[in-house]
Amino acid sequence: MNPTLEPFTTILDLDLGTLEPQRAATQYRYQRDMDGFFLASPPAPDELVYRVIPLPPPQKHYTEIACSTTIIEPGTVDGEYHMTKGHFHEKRDRSEIYIGLSGEGMLLQATEDGRTQVEPIRRGTVNYVPGGWGHRSVNTGSEPLVFFAAYIGDAGQDYATIRSHGFPQLVCADADGPVLRDNPRYARVSS
Ligand code: PAN
Ligand code: ZN
């Protein structure tokens, strides 16, 4: 094989999740970008919910590994903790790992036929998200939730399925902390 890519190194700040050098623009997700993902209509359109700093490979190809840092701000929307939109991979069988850096949260995972699994995210967790599992991360703490992700380069993100079918569970703030509730709007993707 005659490689076309040169090796490269990036410095990941293990607390903040920032990347140096930053090779691609930060993607910001405000409440206004999240319509249809929270159960309630987001009331503060200009409030930042999370941001993603990508570390892209040059090609979106299965021979390469795409990475990113995600930083979810603490907060709630009508009692639901701040979270990512969540997605299945467009190429459903593509897997991913998340490495927790700081803060406290949950990784919700669900299959198209409605099986669910909830895993913790905090400094040092390494979550393996197998192909076929939709995934959404939720900040249940009072500090930003920061994690690093690495996934197969051509995975792609399918948001439309999650937007129309929802996730089986919601993570809501209760007096004693986070509670999982059934999502009244959830509809299985397949049986
Ligand atoms: C992650 C996510 C990131 C943001 O890198 O893309 O945490 O979440 P949403 O993509 O759901 O907005 C990942 O799972 N990539 O495949
Ligand atoms: Zn993913």
Side-chain angles (χ1 to χ4, degrees):
M1 176 182 174
N2 188 15
T4 53
L5 256 186
E6 300 296 319
F8 60 92
T9 297
T10 305
I11 304 300
L12 168 66
D13 184 304
L14 292 174
D15 296 306
L16 301 175
T18 50
L19 299 171
E20 182 61 44
Q22 188 172 326
R23 298 166 201 276
T26 304
Q27 299 158 3
Y28 294 89
R29 300 284 180 253
Y30 296 92
Q31 283 193 12
R32 63 174 172 269
D33 304 312
M34 302 281 297
D35 202 33
F37 289 93
F38 289 105
L39 194 59
S41 270
D46 296 336
E47 192 175 321
L48 181 65
V49 180
Y50 65 100
R51 59 193 201 273
V52 179
I53 307 169
L55 174 49
Q59 296 181 62
K60 292 186 186 311
H61 194 261
Y62 71 87
T63 55
E64 296 183 1
I65 298 170
C67 301
S68 63
T69 294
T70 303
I71 302 161
I72 309 177
E73 298 299 326
T76 55
V77 171
D78 197 32
E80 257 188 281
Y81 286 105
H82 276 181
M83 62 187 188
T84 58
K85 291 180 180 181
H87 57 265
F88 287 96
H89 288 152
E90 254 162 44
K91 288 203 167 52
R92 286 290 192 272
D93 61 357
R94 300 313 199 234
S95 54
E96 176 157 13
I97 59 167
Y98 281 5
I99 301 170
L101 298 179
S102 64
E104 257 178 72
M106 291 182 187
L107 174 57
L108 304 183
Q109 293 166 90
T111 57
E112 292 186 323
D113 61 3
R115 280 188 291 148
T116 60
Q117 186 137 335
V118 181
E119 300 288 337
I121 307 180
R122 59 173 181 272
R123 189 173 183 83
T125 53
V126 180
N127 312 107
Y128 187 85
V129 181
W133 287 82
H135 40 287
R136 162 180 286 164
S137 37
V138 184
N139 184 350
T140 56
S142 52
E143 302 293 326
L145 176 67
V146 185
F147 62 90
F148 185 78
Y151 54 98
I152 316 274
D154 68 347
Q157 283 84 24
D158 165 14
Y159 297 105
T161 302
I162 297 297
R163 191 172 191 281
S164 57
H165 291 258
F167 248 81
Q169 295 157 317
L170 311 175
V171 188
C172 301
D174 203 25
D176 303 326
V179 282
L180 289 169
R181 300 229 161 92
D182 287 341
N183 178 0
R185 276 218 244 113
Y186 173 67
R188 274 198 282 188
V189 181
S190 69
S191 50

